[in-house]
Amino acid sequence: MFLLFTLSQLTGTLLEYRYDESGKIVFMEVVNTTIGYDTLVQNVENLGFEKVEEGYEEQGFSKEASFILYNKRISKVPHGRLTYNVQIEVKEDRYRYVITDLIFHEYERNRYGRYEEKRNGQMALEPLLADADKQWEKHKQTILKKMESEVAILKSEIAAIPVEKEQKSKVKINDNW
């Protein structure tokens, strides 16, 4: 128990399921940084986020992402795809990420044996996680691990200080040798 507590302190805060006022799952954190506003905006744009709003000393970005959840039986069988929306708001010396709108798209086999999305297989994640199903308990842990890794990558990419590329000087070859 002590080892787990110490490990969580070293790696940062562990994510947990939090709910907003409307009952939706939300992952959110405000991150303070020493990087300037322009560098933060440039790093977020380099990650493929689109601008959604512009204000005085504040800029918002949004991006939709997804990953596949698998049933782990004898072999890995896709159970469905989880889509979510990542929003980033940038201010001077800090930024906030918000991960919301988690939607599960269930997969089934088509007549050719390939897995594809069910026609009416889209469901919000909140009622699915409320069930005490053994499969969804595994998915719950998988989702948390995946979100932790996504947040870690997001933080490292946004906080990266751009390195200016050195231009190599061209060597002039003398024809008189």
Side-chain angles (χ1 to χ4, degrees):
M1 185 70 168
F2 179 71
L3 178 64
L4 181 64
F5 179 71
T6 308
L7 236 160
S8 68
Q9 283 182 337
L10 291 176
T11 59
T13 59
L14 292 175
L15 289 180
E16 59 185 33
Y17 288 103
R18 289 188 238 157
Y19 297 88
D20 64 0
E21 306 85 35
S22 62
K24 289 185 175 183
I25 295 175
V26 123
F27 298 102
M28 180 181 77
E29 183 180 2
V30 176
V31 180
N32 293 322
T33 182
T34 59
I35 298 174
Y37 176 79
D38 294 331
T39 307
L40 284 174
V41 169
Q42 184 64 38
N43 288 348
V44 171
E45 286 176 345
N46 289 343
L47 288 174
F49 284 85
E50 297 177 6
K51 289 183 184 180
V52 290
E53 62 184 62
E54 238 177 279
Y56 183 71
E57 296 183 6
E58 180 177 334
Q59 192 139 9
F61 299 90
S62 181
K63 179 179 169 181
E64 189 170 302
S66 67
F67 62 90
I68 295 178
L69 291 170
Y70 292 95
N71 286 333
K72 294 178 183 166
R73 296 181 186 145
I74 296 172
S75 64
K76 284 173 70 172
V77 175
H79 186 212
R81 181 172 50 98
L82 186 72
T83 60
Y84 54 93
N85 190 12
V86 182
Q87 299 168 351
I88 297 179
E89 296 170 2
V90 178
K91 289 188 176 182
E92 190 66 40
D93 297 329
R94 66 180 180 226
Y95 65 92
R96 175 175 70 175
Y97 69 84
V98 181
I99 300 174
T100 58
D101 301 331
L102 286 91
I103 298 174
F104 179 71
H105 305 266
E106 190 173 4
Y107 281 3
E108 68 180 356
R109 281 186 188 246
N110 64 11
R111 62 182 177 178
Y112 303 111
R114 296 186 194 115
Y115 287 96
E116 64 180 23
E117 190 176 319
K118 267 185 167 179
R119 284 190 180 210
N120 296 324
Q122 293 185 8
M123 292 185 67
L125 191 63
E126 293 82 8
L128 295 172
L129 292 181
D131 294 339
D133 187 10
K134 184 178 180 182
Q135 181 65 42
W136 276 102
E137 286 298 320
K138 290 180 183 177
H139 285 336
K140 199 178 202 180
Q141 298 305 318
T142 303
I143 292 168
L144 274 179
K145 286 179 186 176
K146 184 67 176 176
M147 289 298 167
E148 284 176 0
S149 68
E150 290 289 324
V151 165
I153 291 170
L154 186 72
K155 284 181 179 180
S156 68
E157 292 291 325
I158 290 177
I161 298 173
V163 178
E164 294 181 20
K165 296 180 182 176
E166 295 180 19
Q167 294 184 354
K168 296 180 182 177
S169 61
K170 294 183 179 180
V171 177
K172 185 176 181 180
I173 299 175
N174 192 356
D175 291 333
N176 299 328
W177 49 280

